[in-house]
Amino acid sequence: MTYVVTDNCIACKYTDCVEVCPVDCFYEGENMLVIHPDECIDCGVCEPECPADAIRPDTEPEMEPWVTFNRKYSEKWPVIITKKDPLPGADERDGETDKMTKYFSEAPGEGG
Ligand code: SF4
Ligand code: F3S
């Protein structure tokens, strides 16, 4: 089992999640984070920290594509362990539909 980051992180990237992870398994893209499924120890402490409710356990229905997605990008992007400012307009974009099509970027974030 693992937790994964899902699409409502896109264009928000609040980063509250990274400070509580005991194994530093969040990775930063330009406009979202992912969790490395093989490093996550399933502790669950990050889930309630996300203001956008973007972190889900893979035991929920239809999470398998998100596990694949999180693994793919965690192997491309740098680790992030320090909270930073959310993206501009994060509060307005929280809950918007179709964020993957509108905003997702494969580019790495800065990490740190
Ligand atoms: Fe880190 Fe625990 Fe969240 Fe997994 S469930 S990403 S180990 S805080
Ligand atoms: Fe994203 Fe939520 Fe973390 S918006 S950066 S998963 S706190």
Side-chain angles (χ1 to χ4, degrees), residues 12-69:
C12 289
K13 203 163 78 169
Y14 286 107
T15 72
D16 300 63
C17 51
V18 305
E19 290 208 317
V20 299
C21 181
V23 295
D24 299 338
C25 64
F26 281 91
Y27 294 80
E28 185 182 13
E30 185 176 24
N31 60 13
M32 80 174 292
L33 302 191
V34 288
I35 291 168
H36 198 310
D38 300 334
E39 297 174 359
C40 173
I41 59 169
D42 314 326
C43 70
V45 298
C46 58
E47 183 186 0
E49 296 298 323
C50 176
D53 200 23
I55 301 174
R56 317 295 336 150
D58 72 346
T59 48
E60 290 190 359
E62 298 171 15
M63 282 296 126
E64 192 52 40
W66 284 110
V67 176
T68 302
F69 179 94

